[in-house]
Structures are given as C-alpha cells and as structure tokens.
Amino acid sequence: SLGMAHAYIDAIAEAGADAVKFQTHLAAAESSAFEPWRVQFSRQDATRYEYWERMEFTEPQWVGLAEHARERGLLFLSSPFSTEAVELLERVGVAAWKVASGELTNRDLIARVAGHGAPVLLSTGMATWDEIDAAVAVVEAAGALPAVLQCTSAYPCPPERVGLNVVQELRARYPHPVGLSDHSGTVFAALAAIGAGIDLLEVHVVASRQLFGPDTSSSITTDELRLVVEGARWLHGAASHPVDKDEMAAELEPVRSLFTKSVVAARDLAAGTVLERGDLAAKKPGTGIPAGRLDEVVGRRLVVGLVVDQPIEASHLDGGA
C-alpha cells in the first residue's frame, strides 16, 4: 500500500527517528516461481513470487516516498535486492546504501553501491566472519565507508540470540561504525545496545501488532520507537558526560548536609563535661562534626553547654578541632 508507506514516514518522523528505510523488490529481477515462503502469512498471494510482485512500486512512487521523507527531515534509504533495484534507487537517490543480510555475499551488488561513495550499511544476520570481512573489504576498496550491523535473521529474535557481545567484537575487529539491526520485537535489545555505545540502530516498525504482514512479530510499534529514540538521546547524554566523584561530592555539599548525620548531644550537657559514649548520638542534619568521627569526640571536654540534639561543632570542644 503506497498510502501506508507514506503514513509510516509521518509516524516515524513524529517518533523522532533520523531515517526511514524501505526495501526495493523487483520480483522478476530477484526471484522466481520456485522460491518457497519463509512464512506463509498471506491470504492474497498464492506464491512468494506473487507477493514480491505486489510489493513493487513504480519509480515515480519511489521518488514521491523519498521526497516525502526528506520533507519530514528523515534520511531516505531502501535496501536493493537486485542490480535493477540498485539502478532504480540510483535515480531516486538514497542517503546511504543498506545491504540486507541475504545480500552480504553478493559482491557485485556491494561493489556497485559502494562505488557511489555514500556509506554502506552491512547487515550480518546470516554471515560468517570470513563473509563479513570480505564484504567490508569490498566497500573499503571502493573508497566508501562501511558500517557493520550485528543482526540475527530470526523473526522474532529471542534474547539469547540477539548477540550483544558481537557488537563489541565488531568494534574490536573493524575501524568503522558498528550497530545493531534488531528483530526482537521489543525495546530491550535496542536500549541495551545503545547503552553499550553503538553508532547506529535499525529496528522494524509496525503501526500495530494486529496488522497483517510477515514481520509484525519482529517489529516494535511506532509508540515504542518514540521510547527508543528518547532512550537513545538520554543514554547518549549520560555517556558523553563522565562524572568525577570527588567533584560531584563537592557540588552536592548542600544536599549532603540534608542526608548525612552529625554528632549531637544525646542529652543536655553542661560546660566542662568530659564526653562519654552515652553523651553522644548521630542525627540529621549533617552540619556539625560528621557522625563517622563520633569516636574521636569521646573523651573531649565541652567548653560550652549544649541542649539535647544540638549538633556538636569543633568550637564546642576544648582545643577545637
């Protein structure tokens, strides 16, 4: 549905995302009548090939989607699944090239898109390390910037297969941006990966989990996307401002006096009293001698009289501090 595609652009922009990514399928160029269903979800398509045919937009329709995305402040991307799809998107224009997991070993396609110089985002959902290395090398050889996304091609992806550890392995292996392409259908993997310092995140989005489609179970809703975006901004803000504990303690000195305790008189005490343990207690506020120094006060002589609960200060003691 072209109308639904435009509606998603608006919803994703309103959620605060940076980009919107579609998939460009041209049935005759990428598939055949022998392709089996991954999930036979459709009641209106007899074969998966017919489904791909129904997914096709015309070039003017793609141009309209790209223009709409840019009008809403979104980067426009679409994953090509054939050379013909690449040619179409070359004319439409994309901010970066996204190579889907199933195309990661398609070196001709990767070389073609990398030749444009725009960043190339590589999903690695079904790939071995050798295959990822080879794809990265193709992009590097073309002089383009690769970004490598951990991905597991399971729909939905259970938590034990998300592979957050691989994100760090990617960062150690390649001097390039890394990220997560998430199929978990939750916000948890996305927020965990953002907290771990990924450079980019891709999620599948659906307006409602009651909608028809093969990826509904592996998608987050547009409302959840807004939460992920807010979480990303918050986590990036936290990570970009490291805290020095001593400086923070000094800054919070007024608060410390409210939450900490002082050594106080446990009863009315006359001047000249030599303080014993029973004469003392620890109570808020923390404006006097800190409660942690109570034992140091035992045995000291008062030079002034004190009333019960009065914080003891250094000037109240013979010899001061």
Short mmCIF file of all heavy atoms in Angstrom, two decimals, residues 38 152-159 161 183-186 214-219:
data_model
loop_
_atom_site.label_atom_id
_atom_site.label_comp_id
_atom_site.label_asym_id
_atom_site.label_seq_id
_atom_site.Cartn_x
_atom_site.Cartn_y
_atom_site.Cartn_z
N ARG A 38 8.98 -17.98 3.31
CA ARG A 38 9.63 -18.01 4.63
C ARG A 38 8.56 -18.24 5.69
O ARG A 38 8.70 -19.10 6.55
CB ARG A 38 10.38 -16.69 4.90
CG ARG A 38 10.96 -16.62 6.32
CD ARG A 38 11.87 -15.42 6.50
NE ARG A 38 11.20 -14.14 6.41
CZ ARG A 38 10.53 -13.56 7.41
NH1 ARG A 38 10.44 -14.17 8.58
NH2 ARG A 38 9.96 -12.38 7.25
N THR A 152 20.68 -10.96 13.71
CA THR A 152 20.38 -12.38 13.69
C THR A 152 19.09 -12.56 12.91
O THR A 152 18.06 -11.98 13.27
CB THR A 152 20.22 -12.94 15.11
OG1 THR A 152 21.44 -12.74 15.84
CG2 THR A 152 19.91 -14.44 15.07
N SER A 153 19.15 -13.34 11.86
CA SER A 153 17.98 -13.49 10.97
C SER A 153 17.00 -14.50 11.55
O SER A 153 16.80 -15.60 11.04
CB SER A 153 18.44 -13.93 9.57
OG SER A 153 19.26 -12.93 9.01
N ALA A 154 16.39 -14.10 12.65
CA ALA A 154 15.31 -14.87 13.29
C ALA A 154 14.18 -13.90 13.56
O ALA A 154 14.42 -12.77 13.99
CB ALA A 154 15.79 -15.50 14.59
N TYR A 155 12.95 -14.31 13.31
CA TYR A 155 11.80 -13.38 13.30
C TYR A 155 10.64 -13.95 14.11
O TYR A 155 9.87 -14.74 13.59
CB TYR A 155 11.36 -13.13 11.85
CG TYR A 155 12.47 -12.69 10.93
CD1 TYR A 155 13.25 -13.62 10.26
CD2 TYR A 155 12.76 -11.34 10.75
CE1 TYR A 155 14.28 -13.23 9.43
CE2 TYR A 155 13.79 -10.94 9.92
CZ TYR A 155 14.54 -11.89 9.26
OH TYR A 155 15.57 -11.48 8.44
N PRO A 156 10.49 -13.54 15.38
CA PRO A 156 11.33 -12.60 16.14
C PRO A 156 12.58 -13.29 16.67
O PRO A 156 12.64 -14.51 16.76
CB PRO A 156 10.41 -12.17 17.27
CG PRO A 156 9.53 -13.35 17.51
CD PRO A 156 9.29 -13.97 16.15
N CYS A 157 13.54 -12.46 17.04
CA CYS A 157 14.80 -12.98 17.56
C CYS A 157 14.71 -13.08 19.09
O CYS A 157 14.46 -12.08 19.76
CB CYS A 157 15.94 -12.05 17.17
SG CYS A 157 17.56 -12.62 17.75
N PRO A 158 14.91 -14.28 19.66
CA PRO A 158 14.86 -14.42 21.12
C PRO A 158 16.07 -13.77 21.77
O PRO A 158 17.11 -13.57 21.12
CB PRO A 158 14.85 -15.93 21.33
CG PRO A 158 15.55 -16.49 20.14
CD PRO A 158 15.20 -15.57 19.00
N PRO A 159 15.99 -13.43 23.05
CA PRO A 159 17.08 -12.69 23.71
C PRO A 159 18.42 -13.41 23.66
O PRO A 159 19.46 -12.77 23.52
CB PRO A 159 16.59 -12.52 25.15
CG PRO A 159 15.46 -13.47 25.31
CD PRO A 159 14.86 -13.65 23.97
N ARG A 161 19.71 -14.99 21.38
CA ARG A 161 20.33 -14.99 20.05
C ARG A 161 20.57 -13.58 19.51
O ARG A 161 21.00 -13.42 18.36
CB ARG A 161 19.46 -15.79 19.08
CG ARG A 161 19.29 -17.24 19.47
CD ARG A 161 18.47 -18.01 18.47
NE ARG A 161 19.19 -18.19 17.21
CZ ARG A 161 18.63 -18.66 16.09
NH1 ARG A 161 17.35 -18.98 16.08
NH2 ARG A 161 19.35 -18.80 14.99
N HIS A 183 15.69 -7.59 15.44
CA HIS A 183 14.44 -8.26 15.07
C HIS A 183 13.74 -8.83 16.30
O HIS A 183 12.93 -9.75 16.18
CB HIS A 183 14.71 -9.40 14.09
CG HIS A 183 15.39 -9.00 12.84
ND1 HIS A 183 16.34 -9.78 12.21
CD2 HIS A 183 15.28 -7.89 12.08
CE1 HIS A 183 16.78 -9.18 11.13
NE2 HIS A 183 16.16 -8.02 11.03
N SER A 184 14.04 -8.32 17.49
CA SER A 184 13.49 -8.93 18.71
C SER A 184 12.03 -8.59 18.93
O SER A 184 11.33 -9.30 19.68
CB SER A 184 14.31 -8.50 19.92
OG SER A 184 14.12 -7.12 20.21
N GLY A 185 11.55 -7.50 18.34
CA GLY A 185 10.17 -7.09 18.57
C GLY A 185 9.96 -6.47 19.94
O GLY A 185 8.83 -6.35 20.42
N THR A 186 11.05 -6.05 20.60
CA THR A 186 10.99 -5.39 21.90
C THR A 186 11.88 -4.15 21.86
O THR A 186 12.68 -3.98 20.94
CB THR A 186 11.49 -6.30 23.03
OG1 THR A 186 12.93 -6.38 22.97
CG2 THR A 186 10.89 -7.70 22.92
N PRO A 214 4.49 -10.17 7.35
CA PRO A 214 5.40 -11.23 7.77
C PRO A 214 6.32 -10.85 8.92
O PRO A 214 6.87 -11.73 9.58
CB PRO A 214 6.22 -11.49 6.50
CG PRO A 214 6.24 -10.18 5.79
CD PRO A 214 4.90 -9.57 6.06
N ASP A 215 6.52 -9.55 9.17
CA ASP A 215 7.50 -9.12 10.17
C ASP A 215 6.86 -8.47 11.39
O ASP A 215 7.56 -7.89 12.21
CB ASP A 215 8.49 -8.14 9.54
CG ASP A 215 9.36 -8.79 8.48
OD1 ASP A 215 9.46 -10.03 8.50
OD2 ASP A 215 9.93 -8.07 7.65
N THR A 216 5.53 -8.58 11.53
CA THR A 216 4.85 -7.92 12.63
C THR A 216 5.41 -8.38 13.98
O THR A 216 5.64 -7.59 14.89
CB THR A 216 3.34 -8.19 12.57
OG1 THR A 216 2.85 -7.67 11.34
CG2 THR A 216 2.61 -7.52 13.72
N SER A 217 5.66 -9.68 14.12
CA SER A 217 6.12 -10.21 15.41
C SER A 217 7.54 -9.78 15.73
O SER A 217 7.96 -9.85 16.90
CB SER A 217 6.04 -11.74 15.40
OG SER A 217 6.92 -12.28 14.43
N SER A 218 8.30 -9.34 14.75
CA SER A 218 9.69 -8.93 14.99
C SER A 218 9.84 -7.41 14.96
O SER A 218 10.95 -6.90 14.87
CB SER A 218 10.61 -9.56 13.95
OG SER A 218 10.19 -9.28 12.64
N SER A 219 8.73 -6.69 15.04
CA SER A 219 8.74 -5.23 14.96
C SER A 219 8.35 -4.60 16.28
O SER A 219 7.64 -5.20 17.11
CB SER A 219 7.75 -4.76 13.88
OG SER A 219 8.07 -5.28 12.61
#
